[in-house]
Amino acid sequence: LPPADVHQRRELLDDLTSNPPGRDAWEVGGNGNFLIAAARMGLKVGVLGHAGNDQYGIFMENVLQEEGLLQLERITSNGSSSSNGEDSPQGEGNLGSTLVCFVLVDANGHHTFCSS
């Protein structure tokens, strides 16, 4: 489970994001899974979230495109926007990074979450 010390947790999260597991272990997560399931049932869906221009945001964008759900507008720190990430600056403070949550599972199958 994640360490209690906030600095050690930050180091763990930094290590996880810089050395992620293989993409076969990635998922778009709760909101993304719910969005996809609802759309597959024929419901009109929409979501407002935070997807950066990093590998995680691109992964989420690709999954949603494969499901036929994507109309993406990225908003930059200066308030401008661009559709589908075009001309959106990389690394604009927190806007350049996707919010990420890792599910950590111990040998007994207990899990916890570590997120940015």
Side-chain angles (χ1 to χ4, degrees):
L1 299 181
D5 179 74
V6 68
H7 299 292
Q8 290 178 336
R9 281 196 313 269
R10 170 55 32 197
E11 287 178 13
L12 174 62
L13 186 58
D14 289 345
D15 184 50
L16 288 169
T17 54
S18 64
N19 301 298
R23 290 200 178 190
D24 59 326
W26 294 19
E27 293 188 24
V28 292
N31 281 345
N33 293 337
F34 183 80
L35 180 76
I36 291 168
R40 287 179 179 178
M41 291 172 42
L43 299 172
K44 291 183 180 181
V45 297
V47 68
L48 175 65
H50 185 117
N53 295 324
D54 56 11
Q55 62 181 336
Y56 305 108
I58 292 168
F59 171 79
M60 181 173 280
E61 184 176 345
N62 290 339
V63 170
L64 295 178
Q65 279 181 336
E66 289 170 8
E67 292 289 335
L69 299 176
L70 188 64
Q71 179 178 346
L72 180 67
E73 184 173 342
R74 288 204 165 93
I75 301 171
T76 64
S77 60
N78 65 11
S80 64
S81 64
S82 62
S83 297
N84 294 321
E86 296 169 8
D87 301 319
S88 183
Q90 174 102 7
E92 286 218 19
N94 289 337
L95 291 177
S97 300
T98 303
L99 300 176
V100 177
C101 179
F102 290 93
V103 180
L104 307 176
V105 182
D106 70 12
N108 296 318
H110 300 107
H111 70 278
T112 190
F113 301 96
C114 187
S115 61
S116 59

